[in-house]
Amino acid sequence: MKNNNFDHFAFHPLLQDIIEKLGFKKPTEIQEKVIPGILKGQSVIGQSRTGSGKTHAYLLPLFNKIDSSKQEVQFVITAPTRELATQIHDEVRKMIHYAEKDGKWIAKLLVGGTDKQKMMDKLKTPPHIVVGTPGRILDLVKEDALSIYSATSFVIDEADLMLDLGFINEVDQLLVRSKKDIQLMVFSATIPQRLQHFFKKYLENPIYVKIDEHFSPETMEHRLIARKHRDEADIIMDISKVIQPYLAIIFTNGKKQANELAKGLQERGLDAGLIHGGLTPRERKRVLKEIQGLRYQYVVATDLAARGIDIKGVSHVINAQIPKEEEFYIHRVGRTARAGMEGTAISIYDESDLKLVDKLEQKGLTFSYVEVKNGEWKEAKPWNERHLRTKTTTNVEREAWKQVSKTKKVKPGYKKKMKRQQESIKRRLNKKSKYSK
Ligand code: AMP
């Protein structure tokens, strides 16, 4: 009998074996919180982002419940894009592979852009698990090539993106064609108002679990560079000379900006990939493959395109524009510093962004103001805070040194503590001067 930290879920031994082969040592927070409810058949709303282990938060308990003696659709898993659906299907296939001959389970990936007739032929034997985009699944249900009425559980992954991309109607129509008491599992990074209406319609007393983003200041750095009316491509070229990213994602606030920036970087000799929702599915697939194959060191992306895509090894996140909402900043930087790896977020800011920076600081993030000069990082002053450029800076330093208790033996982390203290004093001084203006 295997002994690991998944024991308390009392999974089937076959599933324990699969978990072992997946190499998971202990459940992630979202898994810990939703698996018991899912095993009991309860509906769940899980608010967490990609990287939290949410896919297995539903896959593990669902696999535990598969009845291989019944040749009918038991679970339907929907995702807003082909790539996401394909990634989930890959995870499902991996688990089936690990179950070897014991699990005679069939899973089918149903997404657009593939030969529908071929797909219909393959569905003559109903799969146990269906993974796909809502549009294509609905299409096949309407054609009578697939019945989902037998399904006991239904997953809506990345529900807010589903809403943004306009697929919630198709999901709605799929649910109309399912059992009334189907177990629904919704995972979403944010829960906008419109989703709440949807929940009211379909969910009775669901378990609601929210996983807060955790930042570890030890592994994550947040740097700010003032734009000062310069071209973003020029600033990023400067940055590229002082960093050695394994993979850097450069975020823009829209498709147009992404196109322009990628062009600007290419013209300056930086071979950057580009991914946004305006690409054709074929182009998107090609770029994703190239990114995963580490063809690029830099990739320009929009929020939607980057969301949910599990690109491993992102060492740097560069914000060519700071997003307008805190949540997006957090999602973007969440792409790096995963699993204890070090990560750096570098944001180009304007004066108007400083309010958001302030809010993020209140959440516990620490930013440092920097610039690149003669091919080196240099500390910089906040661009608009002229009062800090002159005498208050020295006051800040003096004040900080006073407040950080000095011991004879310098403890590890002492410099960091000092820096944090300075930042917090700066913030307080900033606030004071704002009020006294
Ligand atoms: P997700 O949030 O579902 O995109 O998962 C992110 C990554 O975490 C995937 O590569 C999973 O294989 C991995 N993962 C999921 N659960 C665990 C776990 N309990 N222990 C270690 N890795 C995990």
Side-chain angles (χ1 to χ4, degrees):
M1 180 75 195
K2 305 253 162 40
N3 197 0
N4 61 28
N5 289 312
F6 288 84
D7 281 355
H8 59 293
F9 297 129
F11 283 138
H12 199 280
L14 177 58
L15 199 71
Q16 286 281 26
D17 200 43
I18 295 175
I19 294 170
E20 196 88 5
K21 287 179 180 151
L22 285 167
F24 297 172
K25 300 279 177 282
K26 62 178 184 23
T28 64
E29 193 180 347
I30 184 95
Q31 291 165 1
E32 196 66 77
K33 289 187 172 157
V34 302
I35 289 175
I38 297 179
L39 284 172
K40 277 191 238 154
Q42 284 174 288
S43 285
V44 173
I45 302 170
Q47 192 172 349
S48 64
R49 63 171 174 81
T50 300
S52 58
K54 67 181 167 61
T55 317
H56 291 88
Y58 58 82
L59 288 183
L60 299 178
L62 288 185
F63 266 74
N64 197 58
K65 296 201 286 187
I66 298 182
D67 181 350
S68 43
S69 68
K70 283 190 193 152
Q71 200 62 62
E72 57 187 23
V73 174
Q74 297 176 30
F75 312 127
V76 179
I77 301 168
T78 59
T81 64
R82 289 175 200 180
E83 291 85 19
L84 280 169
T86 308
Q87 274 179 32
I88 298 167
H89 183 249
D90 288 347
E91 295 298 333
V92 168
R93 274 206 342 213
K94 206 189 281 174
M95 288 173 71
I96 293 179
H97 172 74
Y98 287 151
E100 292 165 2
K101 287 177 211 75
D102 300 330
K104 298 175 212 80
W105 307 320
I106 305 174
K108 281 277 172 292
L109 174 67
L110 308 178
V111 293
T114 44
D115 186 336
K116 197 162 112 190
Q117 192 52 48
K118 248 194 201 160
M119 208 177 260
M120 285 165 78
D121 291 342
K122 279 192 190 157
L123 286 170
K124 282 186 178 136
T125 312
H128 299 99
I129 306 168
V130 161
V131 185
T133 45
R136 178 48 75 98
I137 301 177
L138 183 64
D139 209 13
L140 293 161
V141 170
K142 281 184 173 166
E143 297 256 11
D144 276 334
L146 176 78
S147 166
I148 57 165
Y149 198 76
S150 50
T152 52
S153 305
F154 193 107
V155 176
I156 308 173
D157 206 342
E158 300 280 344
D160 53 349
L161 201 51
M162 205 74 107
L163 197 75
D164 274 348
L165 297 175
F167 299 141
I168 212 83
N169 259 346
E170 273 105 341
V171 174
D172 197 76
Q173 290 192 50
L174 281 175
L175 288 171
V176 168
R177 289 164 172 83
S178 314
K179 271 198 193 94
K180 225 172 164 263
D181 60 348
I182 196 161
Q183 177 187 32
L184 204 55
M185 280 156 277
V186 187
F187 290 86
S188 198
T190 58
I191 313 271
Q193 192 73 32
R194 277 168 59 215
L195 260 189
Q196 289 180 16
H197 293 312
F198 180 82
F199 292 164
K200 277 205 187 107
K201 184 169 169 193
Y202 286 108
L203 290 151
E204 256 177 60
N205 301 323
I207 314 171
Y208 171 71
V209 171
K210 183 174 182 209
I211 305 297
D212 284 323
E213 308 283 342
H214 294 299
F215 285 98
S216 47
E218 290 77 27
T219 58
M220 181 88 219
E221 264 200 81
H222 305 270
R223 299 180 171 204
L224 293 169
I225 295 191
R227 180 186 312 275
K228 296 183 184 166
H229 311 295
R230 286 173 299 165
D231 197 304
E232 281 148 8
D234 286 331
I235 304 176
I236 293 170
M237 289 309 291
D238 280 350
I239 297 173
S240 73
K241 300 198 176 88
V242 288
I243 59 174
Q244 251 102 42
Y246 184 73
L247 179 64
I249 303 189
I250 308 171
F251 282 97
T252 65
N253 285 356
K255 285 178 218 168
K256 190 167 158 272
Q257 293 95 317
N259 277 326
E260 279 168 10
L261 180 58
K263 191 163 164 263
L265 292 173
Q266 278 150 12
E267 280 167 3
R268 286 164 179 77
L270 191 77
D271 183 23
L274 170 67
I275 184 148
H276 61 63
L279 303 182
T280 62
R282 181 186 286 229
E283 281 171 324
R284 226 166 39 189
K285 201 168 172 183
R286 176 182 56 79
V287 179
L288 266 176
K289 250 207 175 129
E290 288 178 345
I291 297 170
Q292 271 144 5
L294 294 176
R295 148 99 164 71
Y296 304 107
Q297 218 178 349
Y298 292 85
V299 176
V300 179
T302 54
D303 291 285
L304 286 193
R307 171 89 81 78
I309 293 163
D310 190 18
I311 304 173
K312 298 223 163 48
V314 179
S315 56
H316 293 72
V317 164
I318 300 174
N319 291 314
Q321 295 109 35
I322 291 192
K324 296 290 165 232
E325 288 170 41
E326 293 156 66
E327 264 180 8
F328 278 93
Y329 182 90
I330 289 171
H331 285 143
R332 287 183 185 183
V333 303
R335 306 309 314 244
T336 177
R338 282 196 189 175
M341 268 172 59
E342 289 196 359
T344 310
I346 305 162
S347 305
I348 301 176
Y349 76 96
D350 286 307
E351 288 195 39
S352 59
D353 295 316
L354 290 171
K355 259 192 216 136
L356 190 105
V357 170
D358 216 37
K359 279 194 198 159
L360 290 166
E361 286 193 322
Q362 282 163 24
K363 281 199 160 178
L365 273 66
T366 308
F367 289 87
S368 53
Y369 292 87
V370 293
E371 60 186 341
V372 179
K373 248 193 180 161
N374 307 325
E376 271 181 50
W377 285 117
K378 290 266 156 58
E379 213 177 297
K381 307 280 167 354
W383 187 35
N384 68 334
E385 307 289 350
R386 293 203 176 81
H387 58 282
L388 276 176
R389 290 189 183 184
T390 52
K391 59 176 189 290
T392 39
T393 308
T394 49
N395 285 346
V396 165
E397 279 162 6
R398 216 175 297 135
E399 194 62 23
W401 279 109
K402 252 197 270 170
Q403 290 188 22
V404 178
S405 62
K406 275 192 186 178
T407 46
K408 274 192 189 134
K409 207 166 162 232
V410 177
K411 283 184 186 158
Y414 180 69
K415 271 194 181 157
K416 255 184 211 154
K417 194 174 172 191
M418 170 69 197
K419 203 173 140 209
R420 272 204 298 273
Q421 190 86 28
Q422 279 194 5
E423 294 297 334
S424 110
I425 293 166
K426 263 188 210 169
R427 237 180 296 146
R428 263 184 280 149
L429 286 174
N430 269 348
K431 270 183 206 131
K432 263 191 214 153
S433 63
K434 264 181 222 156
Y435 296 127
S436 57
K437 258 177 207 162

